[in-house]
Amino acid sequence: MKEADVMENKKSDLPLRIVGSIFVVTAVLGGIWFGNPLWAVICSAASLASLQEFYKLTAKDHKYSPILMFLFAGAVLYAIVFKRESGRFLVFASIFVILVLFDEVWDRQRSGNSMALRSTGNFIGGVAYAVLPWCYLALLRDTENGKALLTVLFFCTWACDVFAYFTGRRFGKHKLCDKVSPKKTWEGSFGGAAACMLCAFAGALLFKLPLLHMTALGLFCGVLGQAGDLAESVLKREAGVKDSGNIIPGHGGMLDRFDSMLVNAVIAYIIFGLFVR
């Protein structure tokens, strides 16, 4: 496709992208503002959509079972988000891994083929990657200053994405990881990380959050959050697709829109959920 055609397609997608962005920002900030249980429901819905996309991306490496997937994810969300008992998650994980293995036994006996190793790995990996981070976001809302913390966290993530894009377009010359994401540059990455740190610093002053912890949050999210973007790009390249889904108009799937946040949520929970009580 010619460059002019690409630019024309981007312009035609702009209204959809604007509508999609308004929807995402409204849902996220509205959920954070009103808190749980609404925020927990939003996080649960987002995690299920993310998990479905992950399993579709990896479908060629295992047998995709939507029923088992949603049962397991629902059990995890119930245990961690709504009952606040992580021990139940471990029990549910064991049960469902055993069920996956039983299903592979049946496949092996029936057809002579099975994918037990890959199926169990993808099954657990999908939950760890696409579900648990959203659980952490739901739990963080009920911590001290949870509303302010989550607001700053999302703005830090968005600022990193936006400034990395525009800094890369204006100053980008050195490729960051061209075999994974050809358009990303070191200059754009530095611009995104700087914006993330400045946003975290401003949020700390504005909401009176602990400055040291917010500085660490800005630093780690600015660097590792972008690595999360690259990680999702690897999944899509291996699956041979451009987008993980199409649930968000103009943006693609949940993983496309929240790839950095999946990493940043874990970082935020480590800092504020484990070390700050």
Side-chain angles (χ1 to χ4, degrees), residues 49-66:
S50 301
L51 185 64
Q52 182 186 36
E53 291 177 1
F54 176 85
Y55 283 147
K56 284 187 175 181
L57 289 176
T58 60
K60 66 179 181 180
D61 292 325
H62 68 95
K63 188 175 70 176
Y64 175 61
S65 175

Side-chain angles (χ1 to χ4, degrees), residues 28-229:
V28 168
L29 296 184
I32 292 173
W33 178 263
F34 286 104
N36 292 322
L38 176 61
W39 177 237
V41 171
I42 291 174
C43 289
S44 298
S47 69
L48 292 177
S50 301
L51 185 64
Q52 182 186 36
E53 291 177 1
F54 176 85
Y55 283 147
K56 284 187 175 181
L57 289 176
T58 60
K60 66 179 181 180
D61 292 325
H62 68 95
K63 188 175 70 176
Y64 175 61
S65 175
I67 295 178
L68 199 58
M69 174 195 76
F70 280 113
L71 283 175
F72 182 39
V76 171
L77 292 166
Y78 170 77
I80 297 179
V81 175
F82 295 98
K83 298 301 291 184
R84 309 297 172 93
E85 294 183 13
S86 57
R88 294 193 184 195
F89 160 69
L90 299 176
V91 173
F92 288 138
S94 298
I95 291 173
F96 280 93
V97 166
I98 290 171
L99 289 177
V100 170
L101 288 174
F102 284 173
D103 189 49
E104 294 295 337
V105 170
W106 169 251
D107 278 352
R108 189 78 176 183
Q109 177 61 28
R110 181 173 53 87
S111 64
N113 296 310
S114 61
M115 295 184 292
L117 292 174
R118 284 175 291 181
S119 291
T120 52
N122 285 331
F123 196 77
I124 295 297
V127 171
Y129 174 64
V131 175
L132 291 183
W134 286 102
C135 293
Y136 301 147
L137 291 174
L139 295 176
L140 283 172
R141 179 57 181 83
D142 287 338
T143 61
E144 185 178 2
N145 299 317
K147 182 193 296 186
L149 171 61
L150 287 178
T151 300
V152 175
L153 177 64
F154 273 93
F155 273 104
C156 282
T157 304
W158 293 332
C160 185
D161 289 343
V162 171
F163 277 84
Y165 173 75
F166 284 107
T167 304
R169 284 195 62 182
R170 178 64 180 85
F171 302 104
K173 293 181 179 179
H174 302 88
K175 298 297 183 180
L176 174 65
C177 199
D178 60 316
K179 292 183 180 179
V180 176
S181 188
K183 294 183 179 180
K184 285 184 170 54
T185 63
W186 280 104
E187 292 83 359
S189 179
F190 286 131
C196 187
M197 291 190 65
L198 287 174
C199 189
F201 183 76
L205 297 181
L206 180 64
F207 294 108
K208 296 180 173 56
L209 297 170
L211 184 58
L212 178 62
H213 296 85
M214 291 302 295
T215 301
L217 181 72
L219 174 61
F220 287 116
C221 288
V223 176
L224 298 181
Q226 295 186 67
D229 189 331

